Amino acid sequence: MASDIGNLPPDYLAFWQEYHLCTLTTQRPDGSPHVVPVGVTFEPETRTARVITNKGSRKVANILRSTDEGGARVAVCQVDRGRWATLEGRARIRTEADVVADAVSRYAERYGRTPGPNPDRVVIEITVERALGRGAGISRDA
C-alpha cells in the first residue's frame, strides 16, 4: 500500500533529506527494468523528485523513448538497513539552464558536494504520484 503523497509523515520526509545513494528504475526498449545508482532530491511541496545526469545516458534515452503522455513511469528508491523509501511517478527530461542549476544546487545541499560543470547535464524531473516505504515513517510494503 502507498501513503497519501500529500500528507507524508515527518520521518519519511527526513529520510529523503539524509545522505543516501538511491536507485532509479526505468524501462528498457524490450520492457525489462533498467536500474542504476543515482543521487535524488525530493521536494514534497511540489511532489517533485530530481536526478541530474548526462543527456546521453541510457536512463535518459529510456525516458525519452516513452510514449506515455504524462511522461515515462519510473521509480526512485533508497535503502538504509531495514528502512526503505520509494517514490513512483512520471519522468520527463528538462534541459533549461535555470532548471539544471536549481537541481544541481539541491543535489549539493543533500549530498554535500557540488558537481563540476557539465555542458551535457540534464535533469530527470519526476512528478511523484506514490510513496512507499518501511521504517521511514511509513509502514507499508509494496
Side-chain angles (χ1 to χ4, degrees):
M1 295 185 67
S3 184
D4 174 10
I5 190 67
N7 191 26
L8 294 170
D11 289 351
Y12 190 84
L13 297 175
F15 189 44
W16 279 103
Q17 296 300 312
E18 297 171 12
Y19 185 109
H20 295 287
L21 293 179
C22 304
T23 60
L24 168 70
T25 303
T26 60
Q27 190 175 39
R28 290 186 183 103
D30 68 1
S32 64
H34 178 255
V35 184
V36 293
V38 294
V40 176
T41 61
F42 178 43
E43 182 182 7
E45 301 80 17
T46 62
R47 301 177 184 184
T48 305
R50 294 174 182 86
V51 175
I52 56 175
T53 190
N54 287 321
K55 67 181 177 184
S57 69
R58 168 53 50 197
K59 55 190 164 286
V60 168
N62 289 343
I63 291 167
L64 290 173
R65 188 187 61 72
S66 173
T67 58
D68 289 349
E69 193 169 306
R73 291 188 179 274
V74 301
V76 290
C77 182
Q78 63 183 18
V79 177
D80 179 37
R81 294 181 282 279
R83 295 186 303 163
W84 63 271
T86 298
L87 301 172
E88 298 177 355
R90 305 269 187 161
R92 62 189 182 128
I93 304 304
R94 302 288 303 269
T95 60
E96 304 92 333
D98 60 327
V99 173
V100 173
D102 178 63
V104 167
S105 175
R106 291 172 188 277
Y107 177 96
E109 184 177 329
R110 181 173 188 194
Y111 291 100
R113 72 170 194 85
T114 302
N118 179 351
D120 292 331
R121 182 172 289 130
V122 298
V123 177
I124 298 172
E125 188 176 82
I126 304 162
T127 301
V128 177
E129 299 171 339
R130 181 179 298 156
L132 304 119
R134 177 167 292 276
I138 296 178
S139 295
R140 297 179 178 97
D141 285 325

